[in-house]
């Protein structure tokens, strides 16, 4: 009885949703979050190479396994912090959108949903990313060290060259990683919120794929533009089944540098382009 009343209480009136306005709003949020993430990740890479080259000065040896562990230990808390911030912003913005109680972290229509389990699950699913980044960056550093030692320069010159060359490489990588991880975290968080929203209210939700549709948009994302499916179903994008933008199930071709968004709506709403 109580749950039925809650469904009636929270049934919103049908409304019109401007997909262009939603695209601009979500893009602005994603870009701002990715910019901050990029800066922190770049600083982490700089700290990593300083520590490893300082150790090189002392021992004149480089152990890739040790370097990899060092970087993983730096990346894990950073990524967890950024994911937590992204999830909190998504939940808070959606609560504001639906005009519900926003006093407690992660409330979905007044029902307290602690973000820790959700973030923990997301972190576990992304753990292979940390390992892959750490291995790639450690291998790059190892190759630079070998290359510079073969040049016959002094150790201070070698250290300086390594920091300079690794710095350029790491800035490019940090930018790509920050954009991709922010995009995926935003997509996952919005999808998770609206799954809870639908379950808590009984309102039937739909989701629509919205591509940026400019010269840089990949063809199969343009083809997916406007595709609308029930909340519990998947989009078909470039032959892949995806729950949300950034969904790893779509593979790298659908995730890296993607700028699409998902628009969530009550099935009674009208989504306008």
């Amino acid at each position: 009885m109580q749950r039925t009343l809650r469904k009636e209480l929270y049934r919103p009136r049908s409304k019109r949703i401007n997909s262009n306005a939603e695209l601009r709003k979500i893009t602005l949020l994603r870009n701002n979050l990715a910019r901050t993430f990029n800066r922190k990740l770049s600083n982490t890479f700089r700290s990593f190479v300083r520590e490893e080259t300082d150790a090189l000065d002392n021992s004149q040896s480089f152990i890739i396994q040790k370097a990899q562990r060092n970087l993983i230990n730096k990346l894990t808390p950073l990524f967890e912090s950024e994911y937590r911030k992204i999830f909190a912003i998504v939940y808070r913005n959606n609560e504001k959108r639906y005009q519900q109680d926003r006093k407690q972290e992660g409330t979905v229509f007044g029902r307290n949903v602690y973000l820790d389990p959700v973030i923990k699950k997301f972190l576990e699913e992304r753990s292979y990313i940390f390992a892959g980044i750490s291995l790639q960056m450690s291998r790059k550093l190892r190759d630079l060290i070998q290359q510079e030692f073969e040049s016959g320069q002094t150790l201070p010159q070698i250290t300086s060259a390594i920091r300079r060359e690794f710095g350029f490489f790491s800035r490019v990588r940090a930018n790509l990683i920050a954009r991709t991880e922010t995009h995926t975290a935003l997509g996952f968080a919005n999808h998770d919120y609206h799954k809870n929203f639908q379950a808590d209210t009984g309102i039937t939700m739909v989701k629509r794929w919205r591509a940026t549709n400019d010269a840089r948009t990949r063809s199969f994302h343009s083809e997916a533009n406007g595709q609308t499916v029930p909340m519990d179903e998947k989009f078909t994008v470039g032959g892949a089944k995806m729950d949300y933008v950034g969904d790893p199930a779509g593979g790298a071709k659908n995730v890296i540098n993607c700028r699409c968004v998902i628009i969530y709506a009550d099935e009674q709403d009208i989504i306008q382009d």
Side-chain angles (χ1 to χ4, degrees):
M1 181 64 179
Q2 183 178 3
R3 186 170 180 80
T4 302
L5 289 174
R6 282 174 60 79
K7 290 179 183 179
E8 292 175 355
L9 177 64
Y10 293 124
R11 163 67 69 179
R13 291 175 296 179
S14 61
K15 57 186 180 296
R16 295 179 184 273
I17 299 174
N18 187 311
S19 68
N20 290 322
E22 289 294 306
L23 174 65
R24 288 192 296 269
K25 181 176 68 176
I26 297 170
T27 298
L28 179 62
L29 174 62
R30 183 183 66 230
N31 290 345
N32 287 338
L33 288 169
R35 193 175 298 114
T36 303
F37 199 166
N38 179 28
R39 185 175 65 251
K40 292 179 180 179
L41 186 55
S42 294
N43 289 339
T44 299
F45 286 151
R46 278 196 295 270
S47 172
F48 165 69
V49 75
R50 278 197 306 270
E51 289 180 10
E52 294 301 324
T53 50
D54 284 346
L56 187 65
D57 282 342
N58 294 327
S59 65
Q60 297 190 22
S61 65
F62 177 77
I63 304 173
I64 191 169
Q65 294 83 359
K66 183 179 177 181
Q68 189 179 0
R69 287 194 300 271
N70 180 19
L71 188 51
I72 286 177
N73 289 337
K74 290 178 178 295
L75 292 179
T76 301
L78 170 62
F79 276 64
E80 181 175 358
S81 173
E82 292 304 299
Y83 290 154
R84 183 176 298 279
K85 178 175 68 176
I86 291 168
F87 275 58
I89 288 172
V90 167
Y91 272 61
R92 184 175 66 245
N93 286 353
N94 280 317
E95 285 294 290
K96 184 177 181 180
R97 173 185 175 186
Y98 296 116
Q99 298 180 345
Q100 297 303 315
D101 180 13
R102 304 187 300 280
K103 291 182 180 179
Q104 296 185 34
E105 180 191 25
T107 40
V108 178
F109 263 53
R111 177 168 62 85
N112 192 33
V113 177
Y114 293 105
L115 292 182
D116 281 349
V118 181
I119 293 169
K120 181 180 179 182
K121 178 175 181 290
F122 187 70
L123 270 171
E124 290 173 350
E125 292 179 355
R126 304 301 288 169
S127 61
Y128 74 95
I129 293 292
F130 309 154
I133 294 170
S134 300
L135 180 58
Q136 182 192 43
M137 300 303 275
S138 297
R139 283 175 172 171
K140 179 65 176 180
L141 183 55
R142 177 199 60 193
D143 293 345
L144 284 174
I145 290 170
Q146 290 176 345
Q147 174 185 315
E148 293 303 326
F149 265 105
E150 291 170 359
S151 69
Q153 299 183 84
T154 65
L155 192 54
Q157 289 174 325
I158 290 172
T159 298
S160 177
I162 290 169
R163 290 180 178 178
R164 183 176 60 254
E165 294 178 41
F166 188 85
F168 174 77
F169 172 76
S170 65
R171 283 193 296 274
V172 173
R173 287 293 296 152
N175 186 38
L176 178 61
I177 293 165
R179 288 203 314 268
T180 302
E181 289 306 299
T182 298
H183 189 56
T184 296
L186 278 170
F188 181 95
N190 257 313
H191 184 73
D192 184 79
Y193 179 94
H194 286 93
K195 280 199 306 181
N196 281 297
F197 172 80
Q198 179 171 260
D200 197 56
T201 65
I203 295 172
T204 302
M205 299 293 293
V206 296
K207 53 189 180 181
R208 175 174 292 187
W209 190 282
R210 178 64 164 84
T212 302
N213 279 340
D214 59 17
R216 297 180 347 186
T217 304
R218 59 205 81 183
S219 60
F220 39 93
H221 284 193
S222 292
E223 291 168 3
N225 185 56
Q227 189 178 146
T228 305
V229 299
M231 186 67 212
D232 297 326
E233 293 187 13
K234 297 179 184 293
F235 298 103
T236 302
V237 186
K241 297 292 185 179
M242 301 176 67
D243 273 320
Y244 52 88
V245 291
D247 185 350
K253 70 174 185 177
N254 277 311
V255 174
I256 295 176
N257 287 328
C258 172
R259 296 170 295 135
C260 301
V261 304
I262 302 299
I263 297 171
Y264 295 90
D266 184 326
E267 63 176 350
Q268 297 181 18
D269 292 339
I270 299 171
I271 303 175
Q272 299 175 315
D273 293 326

